[in-house]
Amino acid sequence: MNTTALFVELLITGIGAGVWFSLTLLCVFGYSWIPFEKIIILPALIPTIALLYVLGIIIDRISDLAFQGWDKSLRQKHFNKSTDYQRARTIVYGQSLSLRDWFKYGRSRLRICRGWTINSLLCIASLNAFIWIRLPADCPRLHLTLFSSVMFGLLSIGALSAWYSLTYREYQRLREEYSFSQESKQVDSME
């Protein structure tokens, strides 16, 4: 995977983290002191992008730890041992550049889904805290809470479902490609 793709992947995850992180800060410190007209200018975007990138890295690591058990369980459905998986990956990646790129693209998508599963749950918590702590009582807080919780909940479920599907399909396809390459080797050695 090239550096630009990795940067974009972490930035996409970082944007979600930036939402809940900002809401948490606004919940704690309020928002009346923020000069919105001054922070939405080009020079302010550079440190913002850097912060989002760092938040993306942090959420990526947290989500990696959180999903580690599920990932291992899915991998074991197709590979008995971790070494079998590593061997298959090395051989399949080495045989075809297009297959390697397909797998890397899939890994990028599943990391984004994994990160957004975590981000969505944290957005529910931070947004609800912000609604109930910082918005005036005459706002329809209950409606906002229900709507935002359902929307971010559906996003979290969708991201989790996509992660599961992408991960399962990746291991399945890797196993198929590895088996095919081993069968081809045996046929070539018999000739």
Side-chain angles (χ1 to χ4, degrees), residues 63-135:
S63 62
D64 186 40
L65 290 172
F67 282 65
Q68 201 169 40
W70 286 343
D71 186 68
K72 184 178 179 182
S73 172
L74 288 171
R75 187 174 58 241
Q76 287 176 338
K77 290 181 181 186
H78 300 284
F79 298 97
N80 294 330
K81 297 182 284 189
S82 183
T83 53
D84 294 340
Y85 165 69
Q86 292 298 335
R87 182 180 307 110
R89 193 171 141 178
T90 301
I91 289 171
V92 170
Y93 279 30
Q95 286 180 337
S96 168
L97 183 61
S98 62
L99 261 180
R100 186 188 74 202
D101 290 345
W102 182 86
F103 280 112
K104 286 184 175 186
Y105 173 65
R107 298 287 312 160
S108 178
R109 292 187 308 162
L110 68 87
R111 282 191 299 266
I112 290 170
C113 289
R114 187 180 65 191
W116 268 91
T117 300
I118 301 294
N119 280 334
S120 297
L121 295 174
L122 291 170
C123 281
I124 291 170
S126 62
L127 184 56
N128 285 331
F130 177 78
I131 289 169
W132 289 97
I133 293 171
R134 290 294 172 185
L135 292 185

Side-chain angles (χ1 to χ4, degrees), residues 156-167:
S156 184
I157 291 168
L160 177 62
S161 176
W163 172 84
Y164 182 90
S165 175
L166 288 166
T167 303

